[in-house]
Amino acid sequence: MSRLNVPSPDDVPDEAESVLGTVGAQFGFVPNMFATLASNPTVLDVVMTLQGALSRVLDAKTRHTIALTVSQANGCDYCLAMHTYVSSELGGMSSDDIDLARAGSSTDPRRAAVARFAQQVVESRGRVSDADLAAVRGAGYTDPQILAIVTVAVQVLLTNFINNVNQTDIDIPAISSAGTPG
């Protein structure tokens, strides 16, 4: 059960109503994470602004791969369910690639390098080795792209931490241990 209060539809602050409307139109419902964030419109705005800005860096499958890798590393069940759903239903990723992303890999060699690097960023708390940097550079990523990878990982960490603190109730298709909707 979620540990933070979710405002009732009548109690959603005015500043959050349009954002929730946009999210609801995208998903067909308002996921619990966004409903919870609506209690603090500034935090909701921060999360939405980061997500919007970061949708312009890297390609969608690479961003989804990072999200799955980071969410698995942080044990965020809500985020794993959400990113599995989004990656599959909206991102065109196969169940095999979703499973591999959760394990820090990919069917695509470049995305596999990103997944391993993002996993190292999380596990080392950003203190990656020279070999980690060399590996992601060796896969063809430039320093500006590496900055984007780290930033996407940190944005995912933000929502992982919020959902782990809250123990947000999963309101989207749950994932099985194999990473497929269950």
Side-chain angles (χ1 to χ4, degrees):
M1 174 180 249
S2 293
R3 301 189 303 177
L4 300 176
N5 293 321
V6 177
S8 70
D10 293 337
D11 293 330
V12 170
D14 293 342
E15 309 93 313
E17 284 183 10
S18 67
V19 175
L20 292 184
T22 301
V23 170
Q26 180 183 6
F27 287 99
F29 69 103
V30 176
N32 283 336
M33 179 186 83
F34 295 102
T36 301
L37 293 177
S39 70
N40 187 326
T42 301
V43 173
L44 177 62
D45 183 57
V46 166
V47 169
M48 297 304 292
T49 299
L50 274 172
Q51 288 180 348
L54 293 177
S55 71
R56 299 186 305 267
V57 301
L58 307 167
D59 65 274
K61 285 186 180 179
T62 298
R63 292 190 319 272
H64 293 313
T65 298
I66 294 167
L68 289 159
T69 298
V70 171
S71 295
Q72 181 70 41
N74 279 307
C76 184
D77 294 337
Y78 187 87
C79 294
L80 282 168
M82 177 63 82
H83 292 299
T84 296
Y85 175 80
V86 170
S87 297
S88 173
E89 299 301 314
L90 306 175
M93 287 179 69
S94 70
S95 60
D96 287 344
D97 216 14
I98 289 169
D99 290 345
L100 287 169
R102 289 181 62 190
S105 191
S106 173
T107 57
D108 176 85
R110 280 180 47 90
R111 282 199 315 271
V114 166
R116 283 190 297 278
F117 184 73
Q119 191 174 48
Q120 283 306 114
V121 166
V122 172
E123 291 175 359
S124 72
R125 295 185 176 146
R127 290 179 171 88
V128 296
S129 69
D130 290 343
D132 295 327
L133 278 171
V136 76
R137 284 179 177 137
Y141 288 93
T142 64
D143 286 359
Q145 290 170 318
I146 292 169
L147 288 172
I149 294 164
V150 173
T151 306
V152 170
V154 170
Q155 183 269 315
V156 175
L157 283 170
L158 171 64
T159 55
N160 285 176
F161 286 3
I162 289 169
N163 287 298
N164 280 343
V165 165
N166 187 34
Q167 296 178 1
T168 307
D169 292 331
I170 297 174
D171 56 344
I172 48 181
I175 55 167
S176 70
S177 60
T180 56

